[in-house]
Amino acid sequence: MFDSLSDRLGGVFDRLRGRGALTEADVRQAMREVRVALLEADVALPVARDFVEKATEKAIGQNVLRSVTPGQQVVKIVNDALVEMLGGDDAEGATLQLDVAPPAIVMMVGLQGSGKTTTTAKIARRLSKGGGMTGEKPRRVLMASLDVNRPAAQEQLATLGTQVEVATLPIVAGQQPVDIARRAVQAAKLQGFDVLMLDTAGRLHVDSALMDEMRAVADVARPQEILLVVDALTGQDAVNVATNFSEQVPLTGVVLTRMDGDARGGAALSMRAVTGKPIKFAGVGEKLDALEAFQPSRVAGRILG
Ligand code: GDP
């Protein structure tokens, strides 16, 4: 992931550093090259434009050009802008809003195949083990699948539940999503679970039936967290999906899956800006422990090498 972007930016910055003194024109030229590199990595156009504008302004406005190591300063400015673009300091990272009268409810949304069900189990696993990302106490977690469209979706979650040793809501054949959600909330309350994770149905594309269903479920469950799961490999498409979802449901965060793949990185880089919500986790493999807290400065560091 990010390999070609990293190479391109590396080339731009090597040329800058090699120069010694820099003129304003040198900086503008370098920033134009940064913009092209971002666009080639599938970063959304307005996001790339905004990024380069801000970074250019900083590089020219401050005393960068008169400093002893102007090239170095420009690289630092780009690094800081990248961290900002990815969501700023790492503080927010993988924090979920769970400190409410139990059960805290986490609703997972996204397209079919995005990795939603797997991610539900991964997050449930980490919450139930405690420590790790949140440094928190282990939580009693219940998972429920509201996916009545895809055959065997509910069974898939039950199987994952067994693997990660997290309880799943018993399946009642024929029950509709809103009713399952209601039953899940009731069960979580009565049985003293700390966290309820609702895995909603995906679709192949964003459509109004899906959005209506999500809103109806959210009305009933009143979740503290609504996490959008998007596949980082789908590039610009992931950005469009995120834009659509964030206009329709009050997301609280994003999870990027398949960050272990060789995506060009645009989805990851644009996500924060287009949704306005933090990227909380990154899926980095098929295994159920392959989930990381998303750390902007680490990702920026990897891109700039
Ligand atoms: P859903 O339809 O959105 O619920 O998708 P699933 O959870 O069933 O996942 C679809 C496929 O993607 C499965 O084979 C998962 O193992 C795989 N998958 C999910 N997350 C990741 C990830 O972060 N990395 C990789 N390599 N595969 C993933």
Side-chain angles (χ1 to χ4, degrees):
M1 184 127 193
F2 299 122
D3 285 352
S4 69
L5 175 62
S6 193
D7 285 351
R8 290 287 301 262
L9 293 180
V12 176
F13 295 142
D14 281 349
R15 281 195 294 281
L16 266 191
R17 284 199 200 94
R19 284 253 169 115
L22 291 182
T23 65
E24 189 175 317
D26 293 332
V27 172
R28 289 195 187 279
Q29 175 59 27
M31 290 300 183
R32 267 196 295 276
E33 289 168 22
V34 169
R35 180 162 179 256
V36 172
L38 290 174
L39 292 177
E40 279 179 3
D42 263 347
V43 172
L45 179 61
V47 178
R49 193 188 289 146
D50 190 50
F51 177 91
V52 165
E53 236 167 61
K54 279 189 191 145
T56 308
E57 199 177 301
K58 258 199 194 149
I60 289 172
Q62 296 172 3
N63 288 329
V64 172
L65 298 178
R66 264 168 286 155
S67 79
V68 189
T69 52
Q72 206 59 34
Q73 305 287 329
V74 173
V75 176
K76 184 178 183 312
I77 285 169
V78 171
N79 178 75
D80 293 351
L82 264 182
V83 173
E84 196 61 39
M85 179 186 192
L86 292 165
D89 261 335
D90 295 343
E92 251 176 319
T95 322
L96 295 178
Q97 181 57 254
L98 302 176
D99 290 321
V100 294
I105 297 175
V106 180
M107 183 172 156
M108 308 293 289
V109 302
L111 292 188
Q112 195 168 305
S114 59
K116 192 162 36 60
T117 304
T118 312
T119 304
T120 304
K122 285 178 175 178
I123 294 177
R125 175 184 175 277
R126 291 186 70 152
L127 291 175
S128 74
K129 287 189 179 302
M133 58 183 179
T134 50
E136 281 186 6
K137 58 182 191 270
R139 317 249 181 182
R140 293 193 65 222
V141 184
L142 176 67
M143 300 191 289
S145 167
L146 312 184
D147 189 349
V148 298
N149 299 324
R150 190 160 57 95
Q154 299 187 72
E155 286 81 0
Q156 183 193 349
L157 189 68
T159 304
L160 291 173
T162 309
Q163 286 172 29
V164 296
E165 299 175 326
V166 169
T168 47
L169 187 74
I171 298 169
V172 173
Q175 201 166 39
Q176 290 307 295
V178 170
D179 296 321
I180 302 176
R182 217 174 261 129
R183 183 162 60 87
V185 173
Q186 196 68 11
K189 273 186 188 152
L190 289 175
Q191 294 166 39
F193 284 97
D194 301 315
V195 179
L196 169 63
M197 300 205 57
L198 298 175
D199 181 20
T200 63
R203 293 279 199 283
L204 289 176
H205 306 284
V206 175
D207 64 30
S208 58
L210 172 69
M211 295 299 174
D212 289 347
E213 182 178 304
M214 278 188 318
R215 277 194 295 263
V217 168
D219 280 350
V220 165
R222 306 205 157 280
Q224 278 68 47
E225 293 277 354
I226 303 182
L227 301 180
L228 173 67
V229 179
V230 282
D231 178 350
L233 288 183
T234 57
Q236 281 290 346
D237 244 14
V239 174
N240 296 336
V241 166
T243 309
N244 272 318
F245 270 88
S246 66
E247 283 166 4
Q248 306 268 349
V249 281
L251 301 177
T252 57
V254 176
V255 182
L256 283 168
T257 59
R258 298 205 179 81
M259 290 286 281
D260 50 312
D262 55 2
R264 285 184 276 180
L269 293 169
S270 313
M271 208 45 76
R272 170 75 201 219
V274 299
T275 63
K277 297 294 183 289
I279 303 169
K280 298 205 169 187
F281 299 101
V284 292
E286 295 199 30
K287 289 207 186 126
L288 295 167
D289 60 358
L291 182 76
E292 292 175 355
F294 187 84
Q295 295 178 312
S297 60
R298 252 183 67 187
V299 177
R302 210 159 74 200
I303 294 170
L304 295 182

